[in-house]
Amino acid sequence: MSTQLSPGTETIEDRRTQPSSGDGDEERFSHYVPKDKLTEAMINGTPVIALCGKVWVPSRDPEKYQVCPRCKEIWEKMKAGDDGET
C-alpha cells in the first residue's frame, strides 16, 4: 500500500538560514549549583539541579556564558537572608 499526495500538493523545505555568533549557545547561561555537586556531575556525567530549577548534565566551561538571571536573583536573596536582612 502506498501513500499518494493529493494533486497539486507537495512538501516544501524551509532552507532559510540564521546567522550564528559562535558555537550555537547564545541562549545558554551559567547556573548556580553547589560546588561539590558540580564537580561530581562533571566527573560522573550525572545531572544537577540549578537554583532556578534547570536540570542538566554540565559539560561546558561556565565562564563562557552569562549567569542565569533567575539563579542570580535567588542567590542574592539567599545571601541577604544570611545577613539577617529581608
Side-chain angles (χ1 to χ4, degrees), residues 56-84:
W56 86 107
V57 177
S59 63
R60 300 178 189 223
D61 180 7
E63 298 292 324
K64 293 173 60 177
Y65 306 100
Q66 294 180 17
V67 173
C68 166
R70 182 74 181 127
C71 281
K72 186 175 182 179
E73 177 184 326
I74 293 168
W75 176 251
E76 289 173 354
K77 287 181 181 178
M78 289 172 59
K79 286 179 23 182
D82 290 341
D83 296 332

mmCIF file of all heavy atoms in Angstrom, residues 56-84:
data_model
loop_
_atom_site.group_PDB
_atom_site.id
_atom_site.type_symbol
_atom_site.label_atom_id
_atom_site.label_comp_id
_atom_site.label_asym_id
_atom_site.label_seq_id
_atom_site.Cartn_x
_atom_site.Cartn_y
_atom_site.Cartn_z
ATOM 1 N N TRP A 56 20.285 19.555 34.246
ATOM 2 C CA TRP A 56 21.122 19.249 33.093
ATOM 3 C C TRP A 56 22.417 18.588 33.532
ATOM 4 O O TRP A 56 22.748 18.577 34.704
ATOM 5 C CB TRP A 56 21.410 20.512 32.282
ATOM 6 C CG TRP A 56 22.586 21.320 32.749
ATOM 7 C CD1 TRP A 56 23.802 21.430 32.137
ATOM 8 C CD2 TRP A 56 22.689 22.128 33.922
ATOM 9 N NE1 TRP A 56 24.630 22.256 32.851
ATOM 10 C CE2 TRP A 56 23.971 22.696 33.954
ATOM 11 C CE3 TRP A 56 21.817 22.425 34.967
ATOM 12 C CZ2 TRP A 56 24.403 23.539 34.985
ATOM 13 C CZ3 TRP A 56 22.237 23.257 35.981
ATOM 14 C CH2 TRP A 56 23.509 23.811 35.974
ATOM 15 N N VAL A 57 23.132 18.023 32.581
ATOM 16 C CA VAL A 57 24.445 17.449 32.832
ATOM 17 C C VAL A 57 25.474 18.472 32.358
ATOM 18 O O VAL A 57 25.583 18.725 31.160
ATOM 19 C CB VAL A 57 24.638 16.112 32.089
ATOM 20 C CG1 VAL A 57 26.048 15.584 32.319
ATOM 21 C CG2 VAL A 57 23.593 15.098 32.518
ATOM 22 N N PRO A 58 26.206 19.096 33.272
ATOM 23 C CA PRO A 58 27.173 20.121 32.876
ATOM 24 C C PRO A 58 28.333 19.504 32.108
ATOM 25 O O PRO A 58 28.848 18.451 32.483
ATOM 26 C CB PRO A 58 27.637 20.718 34.202
ATOM 27 C CG PRO A 58 27.293 19.716 35.236
ATOM 28 C CD PRO A 58 26.158 18.909 34.713
ATOM 29 N N SER A 59 28.699 20.166 31.018
ATOM 30 C CA SER A 59 29.809 19.655 30.215
ATOM 31 C C SER A 59 30.616 20.779 29.562
ATOM 32 O O SER A 59 31.540 20.490 28.824
ATOM 33 C CB SER A 59 29.275 18.717 29.129
ATOM 34 O OG SER A 59 28.427 19.420 28.254
ATOM 35 N N ARG A 60 30.269 22.022 29.827
ATOM 36 C CA ARG A 60 30.954 23.149 29.178
ATOM 37 C C ARG A 60 31.513 24.108 30.209
ATOM 38 O O ARG A 60 31.100 24.116 31.354
ATOM 39 C CB ARG A 60 29.983 23.882 28.261
ATOM 40 C CG ARG A 60 29.475 22.942 27.210
ATOM 41 C CD ARG A 60 28.485 23.583 26.318
ATOM 42 N NE ARG A 60 27.918 22.525 25.494
ATOM 43 C CZ ARG A 60 27.687 22.623 24.215
ATOM 44 N NH1 ARG A 60 27.931 23.718 23.624
ATOM 45 N NH2 ARG A 60 27.198 21.627 23.547
ATOM 46 N N ASP A 61 32.429 24.922 29.756
ATOM 47 C CA ASP A 61 33.062 25.912 30.624
ATOM 48 C C ASP A 61 32.053 27.002 30.967
ATOM 49 O O ASP A 61 31.655 27.771 30.090
ATOM 50 C CB ASP A 61 34.268 26.501 29.905
ATOM 51 C CG ASP A 61 34.995 27.551 30.721
ATOM 52 O OD1 ASP A 61 34.659 27.739 31.911
ATOM 53 O OD2 ASP A 61 35.907 28.188 30.178
ATOM 54 N N PRO A 62 31.642 27.103 32.232
ATOM 55 C CA PRO A 62 30.638 28.105 32.608
ATOM 56 C C PRO A 62 31.134 29.541 32.464
ATOM 57 O O PRO A 62 30.337 30.467 32.383
ATOM 58 C CB PRO A 62 30.321 27.781 34.063
ATOM 59 C CG PRO A 62 31.497 27.026 34.562
ATOM 60 C CD PRO A 62 32.069 26.304 33.374
ATOM 61 N N GLU A 63 32.440 29.737 32.397
ATOM 62 C CA GLU A 63 32.999 31.080 32.252
ATOM 63 C C GLU A 63 32.644 31.704 30.903
ATOM 64 O O GLU A 63 32.720 32.909 30.738
ATOM 65 C CB GLU A 63 34.522 31.042 32.410
ATOM 66 C CG GLU A 63 34.983 30.562 33.772
ATOM 67 C CD GLU A 63 34.659 31.533 34.887
ATOM 68 O OE1 GLU A 63 34.732 32.752 34.648
ATOM 69 O OE2 GLU A 63 34.328 31.073 35.984
ATOM 70 N N LYS A 64 32.245 30.887 29.942
ATOM 71 C CA LYS A 64 31.946 31.383 28.596
ATOM 72 C C LYS A 64 30.545 31.967 28.478
ATOM 73 O O LYS A 64 30.207 32.539 27.456
ATOM 74 C CB LYS A 64 32.079 30.237 27.585
ATOM 75 C CG LYS A 64 33.494 29.735 27.410
ATOM 76 C CD LYS A 64 33.560 28.503 26.549
ATOM 77 C CE LYS A 64 33.015 28.724 25.171
ATOM 78 N NZ LYS A 64 33.161 27.527 24.309
ATOM 79 N N TYR A 65 29.715 31.833 29.504
ATOM 80 C CA TYR A 65 28.309 32.217 29.405
ATOM 81 C C TYR A 65 27.922 33.202 30.499
ATOM 82 O O TYR A 65 28.539 33.251 31.560
ATOM 83 C CB TYR A 65 27.417 30.978 29.492
ATOM 84 C CG TYR A 65 27.801 29.938 28.481
ATOM 85 C CD1 TYR A 65 28.574 28.851 28.839
ATOM 86 C CD2 TYR A 65 27.427 30.084 27.152
ATOM 87 C CE1 TYR A 65 28.954 27.912 27.900
ATOM 88 C CE2 TYR A 65 27.806 29.143 26.205
ATOM 89 C CZ TYR A 65 28.563 28.065 26.587
ATOM 90 O OH TYR A 65 28.949 27.135 25.655
ATOM 91 N N GLN A 66 26.868 33.953 30.235
ATOM 92 C CA GLN A 66 26.322 34.868 31.241
ATOM 93 C C GLN A 66 25.665 34.054 32.347
ATOM 94 O O GLN A 66 25.197 32.942 32.127
ATOM 95 C CB GLN A 66 25.261 35.763 30.620
ATOM 96 C CG GLN A 66 25.770 36.712 29.584
ATOM 97 C CD GLN A 66 24.632 37.550 29.021
ATOM 98 O OE1 GLN A 66 23.562 37.645 29.603
ATOM 99 N NE2 GLN A 66 24.860 38.147 27.872
ATOM 100 N N VAL A 67 25.584 34.646 33.527
ATOM 101 C CA VAL A 67 24.922 33.992 34.652
ATOM 102 C C VAL A 67 23.411 34.046 34.443
ATOM 103 O O VAL A 67 22.866 35.068 34.025
ATOM 104 C CB VAL A 67 25.308 34.675 35.984
ATOM 105 C CG1 VAL A 67 24.498 34.121 37.137
ATOM 106 C CG2 VAL A 67 26.786 34.518 36.245
ATOM 107 N N CYS A 68 22.748 32.951 34.728
ATOM 108 C CA CYS A 68 21.294 32.870 34.622
ATOM 109 C C CYS A 68 20.676 33.942 35.528
ATOM 110 O O CYS A 68 20.976 33.994 36.724
ATOM 111 C CB CYS A 68 20.832 31.479 35.052
ATOM 112 S SG CYS A 68 19.070 31.323 35.354
ATOM 113 N N PRO A 69 19.840 34.811 34.980
ATOM 114 C CA PRO A 69 19.250 35.881 35.796
ATOM 115 C C PRO A 69 18.431 35.339 36.973
ATOM 116 O O PRO A 69 18.449 35.913 38.058
ATOM 117 C CB PRO A 69 18.353 36.637 34.823
ATOM 118 C CG PRO A 69 18.769 36.230 33.461
ATOM 119 C CD PRO A 69 19.430 34.893 33.581
ATOM 120 N N ARG A 70 17.722 34.253 36.769
ATOM 121 C CA ARG A 70 16.890 33.678 37.846
ATOM 122 C C ARG A 70 17.771 33.106 38.957
ATOM 123 O O ARG A 70 17.500 33.317 40.136
ATOM 124 C CB ARG A 70 15.973 32.598 37.260
ATOM 125 C CG ARG A 70 15.053 31.981 38.261
ATOM 126 C CD ARG A 70 13.922 32.941 38.638
ATOM 127 N NE ARG A 70 13.077 32.286 39.627
ATOM 128 C CZ ARG A 70 12.764 32.815 40.792
ATOM 129 N NH1 ARG A 70 13.159 34.021 41.100
ATOM 130 N NH2 ARG A 70 12.019 32.147 41.648
ATOM 131 N N CYS A 71 18.840 32.376 38.592
ATOM 132 C CA CYS A 71 19.773 31.851 39.596
ATOM 133 C C CYS A 71 20.396 32.982 40.404
ATOM 134 O O CYS A 71 20.499 32.909 41.624
ATOM 135 C CB CYS A 71 20.880 31.031 38.938
ATOM 136 S SG CYS A 71 20.435 29.360 38.463
ATOM 137 N N LYS A 72 20.799 34.051 39.688
ATOM 138 C CA LYS A 72 21.438 35.187 40.353
ATOM 139 C C LYS A 72 20.483 35.846 41.343
ATOM 140 O O LYS A 72 20.859 36.176 42.463
ATOM 141 C CB LYS A 72 21.904 36.201 39.307
ATOM 142 C CG LYS A 72 22.695 37.332 39.875
ATOM 143 C CD LYS A 72 23.227 38.231 38.778
ATOM 144 C CE LYS A 72 24.071 39.343 39.376
ATOM 145 N NZ LYS A 72 24.622 40.205 38.332
ATOM 146 N N GLU A 73 19.230 36.000 40.932
ATOM 147 C CA GLU A 73 18.217 36.605 41.803
ATOM 148 C C GLU A 73 18.012 35.763 43.067
ATOM 149 O O GLU A 73 17.971 36.286 44.178
ATOM 150 C CB GLU A 73 16.910 36.720 41.023
ATOM 151 C CG GLU A 73 15.747 37.276 41.813
ATOM 152 C CD GLU A 73 14.466 37.265 40.981
ATOM 153 O OE1 GLU A 73 14.520 37.460 39.755
ATOM 154 O OE2 GLU A 73 13.401 37.058 41.586
ATOM 155 N N ILE A 74 17.900 34.457 42.898
ATOM 156 C CA ILE A 74 17.703 33.558 44.047
ATOM 157 C C ILE A 74 18.921 33.594 44.956
ATOM 158 O O ILE A 74 18.794 33.665 46.178
ATOM 159 C CB ILE A 74 17.415 32.124 43.555
ATOM 160 C CG1 ILE A 74 16.071 32.082 42.836
ATOM 161 C CG2 ILE A 74 17.447 31.138 44.715
ATOM 162 C CD1 ILE A 74 15.804 30.799 42.063
ATOM 163 N N TRP A 75 20.128 33.565 44.373
ATOM 164 C CA TRP A 75 21.361 33.591 45.156
ATOM 165 C C TRP A 75 21.462 34.868 45.987
ATOM 166 O O TRP A 75 21.829 34.831 47.156
ATOM 167 C CB TRP A 75 22.562 33.459 44.216
ATOM 168 C CG TRP A 75 23.883 33.563 44.912
ATOM 169 C CD1 TRP A 75 24.768 34.584 44.838
ATOM 170 C CD2 TRP A 75 24.456 32.596 45.802
ATOM 171 N NE1 TRP A 75 25.862 34.325 45.621
ATOM 172 C CE2 TRP A 75 25.696 33.106 46.225
ATOM 173 C CE3 TRP A 75 24.047 31.365 46.279
ATOM 174 C CZ2 TRP A 75 26.528 32.414 47.094
ATOM 175 C CZ3 TRP A 75 24.884 30.674 47.152
ATOM 176 C CH2 TRP A 75 26.094 31.198 47.553
ATOM 177 N N GLU A 76 21.113 36.007 45.380
ATOM 178 C CA GLU A 76 21.184 37.276 46.108
ATOM 179 C C GLU A 76 20.197 37.313 47.261
ATOM 180 O O GLU A 76 20.495 37.849 48.326
ATOM 181 C CB GLU A 76 20.978 38.442 45.145
ATOM 182 C CG GLU A 76 22.173 38.640 44.227
ATOM 183 C CD GLU A 76 21.954 39.665 43.134
ATOM 184 O OE1 GLU A 76 20.813 40.176 42.983
ATOM 185 O OE2 GLU A 76 22.920 39.944 42.412
ATOM 186 N N LYS A 77 19.022 36.725 47.065
ATOM 187 C CA LYS A 77 18.042 36.654 48.156
ATOM 188 C C LYS A 77 18.535 35.753 49.270
ATOM 189 O O LYS A 77 18.328 36.031 50.452
ATOM 190 C CB LYS A 77 16.691 36.169 47.642
ATOM 191 C CG LYS A 77 15.961 37.197 46.828
ATOM 192 C CD LYS A 77 14.630 36.675 46.363
ATOM 193 C CE LYS A 77 13.898 37.717 45.521
ATOM 194 N NZ LYS A 77 12.617 37.222 45.010
ATOM 195 N N MET A 78 19.204 34.666 48.919
ATOM 196 C CA MET A 78 19.740 33.743 49.921
ATOM 197 C C MET A 78 20.833 34.432 50.725
ATOM 198 O O MET A 78 20.880 34.295 51.946
ATOM 199 C CB MET A 78 20.298 32.491 49.247
ATOM 200 C CG MET A 78 19.256 31.576 48.669
ATOM 201 S SD MET A 78 19.931 30.232 47.673
ATOM 202 C CE MET A 78 20.974 29.384 48.841
ATOM 203 N N LYS A 79 21.721 35.175 50.047
ATOM 204 C CA LYS A 79 22.790 35.884 50.730
ATOM 205 C C LYS A 79 22.211 36.941 51.656
ATOM 206 O O LYS A 79 22.683 37.116 52.764
ATOM 207 C CB LYS A 79 23.726 36.527 49.727
ATOM 208 C CG LYS A 79 24.629 35.540 49.042
ATOM 209 C CD LYS A 79 25.572 36.117 48.017
ATOM 210 C CE LYS A 79 25.902 37.546 48.126
ATOM 211 N NZ LYS A 79 26.789 38.051 47.080
ATOM 212 N N ALA A 80 21.180 37.637 51.226
ATOM 213 C CA ALA A 80 20.555 38.667 52.062
ATOM 214 C C ALA A 80 19.963 38.040 53.319
ATOM 215 O O ALA A 80 20.038 38.600 54.398
ATOM 216 C CB ALA A 80 19.480 39.411 51.268
ATOM 217 N N GLY A 81 19.396 36.874 53.194
ATOM 218 C CA GLY A 81 18.806 36.177 54.336
ATOM 219 C C GLY A 81 19.844 35.746 55.340
ATOM 220 O O GLY A 81 19.597 35.705 56.534
ATOM 221 N N ASP A 82 21.064 35.445 54.875
ATOM 222 C CA ASP A 82 22.144 35.031 55.783
ATOM 223 C C ASP A 82 22.611 36.167 56.673
ATOM 224 O O ASP A 82 23.080 35.962 57.776
ATOM 225 C CB ASP A 82 23.345 34.497 54.986
ATOM 226 C CG ASP A 82 23.046 33.156 54.331
ATOM 227 O OD1 ASP A 82 22.085 32.483 54.763
ATOM 228 O OD2 ASP A 82 23.781 32.792 53.398
ATOM 229 N N ASP A 83 22.471 37.402 56.180
ATOM 230 C CA ASP A 83 22.919 38.563 56.938
ATOM 231 C C ASP A 83 21.837 39.106 57.871
ATOM 232 O O ASP A 83 22.038 40.125 58.509
ATOM 233 C CB ASP A 83 23.351 39.692 55.994
ATOM 234 C CG ASP A 83 24.562 39.286 55.162
ATOM 235 O OD1 ASP A 83 25.348 38.457 55.632
ATOM 236 O OD2 ASP A 83 24.696 39.838 54.066
ATOM 237 N N GLY A 84 20.700 38.472 57.898
ATOM 238 C CA GLY A 84 19.614 38.940 58.734
ATOM 239 C C GLY A 84 18.725 39.956 58.051
ATOM 240 O O GLY A 84 17.795 40.483 58.639
#
